[in-house]
Amino acid sequence: MKRRLALLSAAGAAVAASGSARAQAPASPGKERVVVQISTPDQRMWNQALNYVENLRDLYGADKVEMELVALGHGIGVLKMDSTQGSRVADALKAGVQVSACEVTMRRQKLTREDMLPNLGYVPAGLGQIIRRQREGWAYISG
Amino acid sequence: MKRRLALLSAAGAAVAASGSARAQAPASPGKERVVVQISTPDQRMWNQALNYVENLRDLYGADKVEMELVALGHGIGVLKMDSTQGSRVADALKAGVQVSACEVTMRRQKLTREDMLPNLGYVPAGLGQIIRRQREGWAYISG
Amino acid sequence: MKRRLALLSAAGAAVAASGSARAQAPASPGKERVVVQISTPDQRMWNQALNYVENLRDLYGADKVEMELVALGHGIGVLKMDSTQGSRVADALKAGVQVSACEVTMRRQKLTREDMLPNLGYVPAGLGQIIRRQREGWAYISG
């Protein structure tokens, strides 16, 4: 009986530990995952979101963090061809950051991919992407 | 012994799976749950929060998503009788979205229910409601 | 066999329950934990973040909530010596709230601790601190 309980207790501890990891740690062990929302028309906040990318790479190390910038609504301008942040977006892409434009917003604002910076990712709905990332255990930062 | 271990392992897997679902998926299976915070004085962001409601219904389907808009602080104006978004708030309510006004904010700004749009929900503290929703596993969007 | 299954089932239930608590409730039982991000240059939002501190203490009771305000980027001004919110920050500190200035931001803006309000906490990276708190199960509020 004691043996059985010990087994149960060991199994319980293992499950509890993995449950904890699942709830509190990034999906991929040793790698931090962060999704950043850009949805305001304030260009100072666009600049700041790009700072976040640099800061997180400095903080965790380039190969220890996975980042996605999702631009939607009033934030979509950060990814337009005439964006004040064009060269910094290019840098982020080169550094392996996912940069995602919201296609719902693009339709609302009658934007095509020709209006946008090169090499972006596109997601059907920026909001849905942010929600999905939260479900997958990514940390969420409102930019 | 093998049988016991198999049992344990099956139980562990079941618990692990349900733990995973609990941490990463909506509380109600097959239904996405999202709480949206409206707390800025920027009316463009009020308009955007109402866009979110439409976008999420289009994305998931009306019966596959549960949404709550919580207006507090500088965002409470979106729910006042003279709100620029009055008809869109009415549409959201008709569509089954929970729209919640923060009573702490209302007291601070000396607002009564007569000052507010019809058919709203009221929560003792908007911030507390957002925190509660996060605890219940809802995705969180800062509007 | 039934007895073994009952045991397993009891163990499963206990683990499931603790898993649930872990995912949805604060790390410390009976205590709500909330991290608030201050990152905009809008001083109305600084004032609002300090309101949040008061509201949460009123809502949960002073000894039932643990709060951290993290100021970074365009929000760092709320913690500078000339902040419009200086006396309210002092009140928050007196009340046991953690108030954390982002050292990445301070370097970017060439600020030293002499430029800042007294008695603050300092974190190497404000963004990293917010991410860490989310991992630890704190609720997250974008201020």
Side-chain angles (χ1 to χ4, degrees), chain B residues 16-34:
Chain B
S18 76
S20 174
R22 216 174 291 113
Q24 297 176 0
S28 156
K31 209 165 192 177
E32 197 56 74
R33 302 188 175 199
V34 186

Side-chain angles (χ1 to χ4, degrees), chain B residues 38 46 50 69-72 75-86 89 93 99-102 111 113 115-118 120-122:
Chain B
I38 308 179
W46 300 355
L50 275 307
L69 295 179
V70 181
L72 70 155
I76 197 75
V78 71
L79 300 185
K80 284 167 66 177
M81 198 60 93
D82 60 359
S83 169
T84 52
Q85 302 297 321
V89 169
L93 285 164
V99 183
S100 304
C102 169
L111 296 168
R113 293 193 183 192
D115 300 310
M116 310 301 284
L117 291 169
L120 299 180
Y122 292 88

Side-chain angles (χ1 to χ4, degrees), chain C:
Chain C
M1 191 64 199
K2 269 193 196 153
R3 204 155 146 198
R4 256 177 256 153
L5 276 173
L7 268 172
L8 277 164
S9 154
V15 173
S18 75
S20 173
R22 216 175 291 113
Q24 298 176 359
S28 157
K31 207 165 194 178
E32 196 56 74
R33 301 185 177 201
V34 186
V35 60
V36 176
Q37 170 180 334
I38 308 179
S39 57
T40 86
D42 186 340
Q43 300 199 13
R44 291 169 299 186
M45 301 307 281
W46 301 355
N47 177 61
Q48 184 158 295
L50 275 307
N51 287 350
Y52 288 169
V53 170
E54 289 177 18
N55 297 351
L56 289 176
R57 288 170 56 88
D58 288 349
L59 181 64
Y60 298 112
D63 56 342
K64 294 284 189 204
V65 60
E66 199 173 339
M67 278 176 281
E68 181 167 358
L69 296 179
V70 180
L72 70 154
H74 293 296
I76 198 75
V78 72
L79 300 186
K80 283 168 66 178
M81 199 60 94
D82 60 359
S83 169
T84 51
Q85 303 298 319
S87 69
R88 298 191 76 202
V89 170
D91 288 345
L93 285 164
K94 239 173 279 168
V97 175
Q98 295 174 64
V99 183
S100 303
C102 169
E103 293 183 323
V104 172
T105 301
M106 289 173 62
R107 274 198 303 280
R108 278 189 193 267
Q109 303 193 10
K110 304 197 194 313
L111 297 167
T112 68
R113 295 194 182 190
E114 266 99 86
D115 300 310
M116 309 301 285
L117 292 169
N119 303 316
L120 299 180
Y122 292 88
V123 290
L127 212 56
Q129 183 70 2
I130 293 167
I131 292 165
R132 191 160 76 90
R133 291 313 193 189
Q134 290 188 34
R135 295 297 176 215
E136 291 171 351
W138 293 45
Y140 164 60
I141 298 290
S142 174

Side-chain angles (χ1 to χ4, degrees), chain B residues 37 39 74 108 134-135 140, chain C residues 24 32 48 55 137 140 142:
Chain B
Q37 169 181 334
S39 57
H74 293 296
R108 278 188 193 267
Q134 290 189 34
R135 295 298 176 216
Y140 165 58
Chain C
Q24 298 176 359
E32 196 56 74
Q48 184 158 295
N55 297 351
Y140 164 60
S142 174

